[in-house]
């Protein structure tokens, strides 16, 4: 039966609301089509403001089960892929309607916590390492150990998912972080893509001497992943499992390990290889891309997921994405098993939500979604993204030994804590102060002053 056309109301709010005000099955499909034409999703914060923009169709198509899916993927490439997966699932399950809502990552986690703690948690939602730690303790996460797609996951993914015995999330991608290199600018100065820390430092010195700021960095992931890469490379090159167990027993060992990475960050800031005040204001996958797109900077630090967006933003810019050159003798690939999807343990539709998550993690869905993020597949084989500029990362991934930026086996929220330390360093703190700050943050959370 055909439905009458529905009016779409657009509103802006903080991201917290009861379930009734979200994208419906039909309005989401309409929105995706409009977004493909315009290149921007008006419902999602990346296109207008830092707040969540909700598209609400007052007349909701009736279904026996109505699921809500809340996530931090809000940009058009990612949301179009999600919409395709949702539509395919609903075409095969006529009795289920699913709505998706996306909010930019850091505001998203604030909104997610408020929804769950107030009893308005969505049926399905995205988590990261830090929130999963808190939500496990709060009992918010359903056991997903019986999903049929678990057996399809790679050893790398399973090693993270099974860190606590019970599987309470499934990954839909493995992201990588890299050094974006403006190859034309490097060539014009006779500088090769750096593969070691000394090479990187010499390149930065050469550009700085010529009056060129070498590095674009954002205020979130850029320098913290450098610190983690440098500080933990030796851990993952040897017996990582034993080292991480020792970190859990004595957080001071973790802070000490990261000191080497903080030292590198301190040199970058102190030498003016990054514009620290600008970096403090530079938003991830937004301001940083606009800066690098000018062609005035030789390097940028961010996730590989931005490569396709970078190419669209600056089609004439020649660039490649390489592992971090942070060791004296080699570079380091940094990855995260992420875009993790969980089911609300208090959902009235746990079984249906788990069935949808199983569909989301089937090979066809993973290929579509991970590909939309220039990310590796979490499934066996860890298929690499097809984006040409990130092939140096794919080559490094195939060799193994990558550093996991926020390892599930580590019982501390290192992702947020490392960010706070690096923000302090951009404001003038030393590596020694960052080491002490990291230990203080960990012990404040754990109550362990050992």
């Amino acid at each position: 039966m055909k439905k009458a056309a529905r009016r779409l109301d657009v509103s802006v709010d903080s991201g917290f609301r009861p379930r009734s005000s979200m994208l419906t099955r039909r309005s989401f499909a309409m929105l995706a089509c409009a977004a493909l034409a315009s290149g921007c999703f008006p419902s999602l914060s990346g296109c207008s403001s830092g707040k969540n923009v909700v598209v609400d169709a007052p007349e909701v198509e009736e279904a026996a089960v109505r699921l809500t899916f809340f996530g931090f993927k809000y940009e058009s490439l990612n949301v179009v892929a999600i919409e395709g997966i949702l539509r395919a699932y609903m075409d095969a399950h006529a009795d289920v309607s699913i709505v998706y809502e996306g909010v930019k990552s850091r505001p998203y986690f604030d909104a997610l916590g408020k929804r769950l703690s107030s009893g308005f948690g969505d049926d399905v939602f995205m988590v990261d390492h830090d929130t999963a730690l808190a939500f496990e303790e709060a009992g918010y996460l359903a056991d997903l150990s019986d999903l049929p797609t678990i057996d399809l996951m790679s050893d790398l993914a399973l090693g993270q998912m099974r860190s606590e015995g019970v599987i309470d999330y499934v990954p839909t991608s493995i992201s990588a972080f890299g050094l974006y290199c403006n190859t034309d600018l490097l060539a014009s100065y006779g500088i090769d893509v750096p593969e070691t820390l000394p090479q990187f430092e010499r390149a930065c010195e050469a550009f700085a001497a010529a009056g060129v700021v070498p590095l674009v960095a954002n205020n979130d992931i850029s320098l913290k992943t450098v610190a983690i890469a440098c500080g933990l490379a030796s851990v993952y090159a040897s017996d990582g499992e034993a080292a991480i167990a020792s970190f859990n027993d004595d957080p001071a060992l973790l802070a000490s390990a990261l000191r080497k990475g903080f030292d590198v960050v301190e040199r970058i800031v102190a030498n003016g290889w990054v514009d620290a005040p600008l970096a403090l204001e530079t938003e991830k996958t937004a301001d940083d891309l606009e800066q690098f797109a000018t062609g005035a900077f030789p390097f940028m630090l961010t996730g590989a997921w931005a490569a396709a967006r970078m190419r669209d933003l600056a089609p004439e810019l020649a660039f490649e994405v390489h592992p971090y050159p942070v060791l004296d003798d080699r570079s380091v690939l940094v990855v995260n098993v992420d875009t993790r999807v969980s089911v609300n343990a208090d959902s009235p539709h746990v079984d249906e939500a788990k069935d949808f998550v199983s569909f989301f993690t089937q090979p066809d869905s993973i290929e579509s979604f991970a590909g939309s993020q220039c990310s590796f597949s979490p499934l066996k084989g860890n298929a690499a993204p097809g984006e040409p500029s990130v092939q140096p990362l794919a080559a490094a991934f195939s060799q193994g030994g990558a550093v996991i930026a926020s390892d599930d086996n580590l019982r501390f929220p290192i992702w947020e804590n490392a960010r706070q330390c690096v923000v302090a360093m951009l404001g003038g703190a030393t590596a020694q102060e960052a080491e002490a700050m990291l230990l203080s943050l960990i012990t404040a959370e754990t109550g362990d002053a050992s």
Side-chain angles (χ1 to χ4, degrees):
M1 179 182 297
K2 292 185 177 181
K3 304 287 184 181
R6 299 190 175 104
R7 175 178 57 87
L8 297 181
D9 296 330
V10 179
S11 62
V12 179
D13 63 22
S14 65
F16 171 70
R17 72 190 63 75
R19 298 183 180 185
S20 60
S21 180
M22 299 183 185
L23 302 180
T24 66
R25 174 200 295 251
R26 186 149 308 192
S27 68
F28 193 90
M30 293 167 64
L31 183 61
C33 292
L36 282 171
S38 66
C40 181
F41 271 80
S43 68
L44 304 167
S45 61
C47 301
S48 57
S49 73
K51 295 183 178 181
N52 184 28
V53 182
V54 179
V55 178
D56 179 31
E59 298 177 32
V60 178
E61 183 175 353
E62 294 297 329
V65 175
R66 185 166 182 260
L67 301 177
T68 60
F69 181 11
F70 191 35
F72 50 77
K73 294 300 177 182
Y74 64 97
E75 293 179 322
S76 58
L77 286 172
N78 304 150
V79 180
V80 166
I82 292 173
E83 188 272 336
I85 295 168
L86 266 60
R87 183 163 51 186
Y89 183 81
M90 291 188 290
D91 286 347
H93 301 78
D95 59 336
V96 178
S97 179
I98 310 173
V99 295
Y100 175 78
E101 182 183 2
V103 179
K104 194 169 184 176
S105 57
R106 295 192 65 208
Y108 163 80
F109 289 108
D110 291 337
L112 176 63
K114 291 176 182 177
R115 292 186 184 195
L116 289 168
S117 63
S118 67
F120 285 105
D122 297 88
D123 302 291
V124 180
F125 46 81
M126 294 178 184
V127 297
D128 67 357
H129 170 260
D130 293 4
T131 52
L133 287 174
F135 292 170
E136 286 166 0
E137 186 174 348
Y140 291 149
L141 308 181
D143 183 1
L144 304 182
S145 302
D146 60 347
L147 291 188
T149 50
I150 298 298
D151 290 339
L152 302 179
M153 294 290 168
S154 68
D155 290 342
L156 174 60
L158 288 172
Q160 297 294 293
M161 297 160 63
R162 289 176 172 159
S163 63
E164 286 300 296
V166 174
I167 294 175
D168 50 25
Y169 77 83
V170 287
T172 57
S173 67
I174 296 178
S175 61
F177 304 85
L179 180 72
Y180 283 63
C181 299
N182 180 335
T183 52
D184 283 346
L185 188 56
L186 289 174
S188 70
Y189 281 80
I191 296 174
D192 294 329
V193 170
E195 297 180 356
T196 66
L197 181 59
Q199 291 174 4
F200 176 65
E201 292 184 332
R202 287 196 295 270
C204 288
E205 288 171 353
F207 282 112
V212 176
V213 176
L215 191 61
V216 173
N218 60 57
N219 59 14
D220 188 353
I221 61 172
S222 294
L223 293 174
K224 78 178 180 186
T225 50
V226 167
I228 292 170
C230 184
L232 299 185
S234 61
V235 167
Y236 286 92
S238 56
D239 189 351
E241 185 176 341
I244 289 175
S246 70
F247 294 158
N248 289 329
D249 292 336
D250 185 358
L253 294 176
L254 173 63
S256 178
L258 285 184
R259 171 61 185 273
K260 182 179 180 181
F262 289 143
D263 284 338
V264 172
V265 173
E266 183 176 11
R267 291 204 298 275
I268 289 173
V269 175
N271 289 324
W273 297 340
V274 64
D275 184 334
L278 178 61
L280 284 169
E281 302 297 325
T282 297
E283 292 295 320
K284 176 183 69 177
T285 325
D287 303 332
D288 50 359
L289 303 192
E290 292 179 2
Q291 293 170 31
F292 193 65
T294 65
F297 298 88
F299 304 117
M300 176 175 66
L301 294 162
T302 195
W305 60 79
R309 275 161 271 187
M310 191 70 252
R311 181 166 37 79
D312 291 341
L313 186 62
E316 302 303 318
L317 182 67
F319 70 94
E320 296 174 352
V321 190
H322 288 257
Y324 286 163
V326 293
L327 298 183
D328 289 340
D329 59 347
R330 64 182 176 91
S331 57
V332 177
L333 177 64
V334 183
V335 301
N336 259 345
V337 175
D338 64 6
T339 321
R340 308 168 180 197
V341 178
S342 291
V343 169
N344 186 350
D346 294 327
S347 166
H349 306 296
V350 169
D351 290 341
E352 292 86 352
K354 289 172 65 173
D355 186 65
F356 165 68
V357 171
S358 179
F359 184 88
F360 201 112
T361 48
Q362 290 179 354
D364 287 349
S365 300
I366 290 292
E367 179 181 3
S368 171
F369 185 61
S372 78
Q373 303 183 79
C374 291
S375 296
F376 295 88
S377 168
L379 304 182
K380 291 177 181 177
N382 297 123
E387 166 63 34
S389 64
V390 303
Q391 292 316 299
L393 300 183
F397 194 102
S398 67
Q399 296 171 8
V403 169
I404 301 175
S406 55
D407 197 317
D408 275 328
N409 297 283
L410 187 65
R411 303 311 299 162
F412 314 124
I414 187 175
W415 200 234
E416 174 59 19
N417 289 344
R419 185 195 69 82
Q420 292 186 45
C421 293
V422 166
V423 165
M425 296 186 72
L426 287 169
T430 65
Q432 181 179 359
E433 290 168 336
E435 178 186 358
M437 181 179 180
L438 179 62
L439 181 57
S440 177
L441 289 169
I442 293 172
T443 55
E445 290 157 352
T446 62
D448 179 6
S450 64

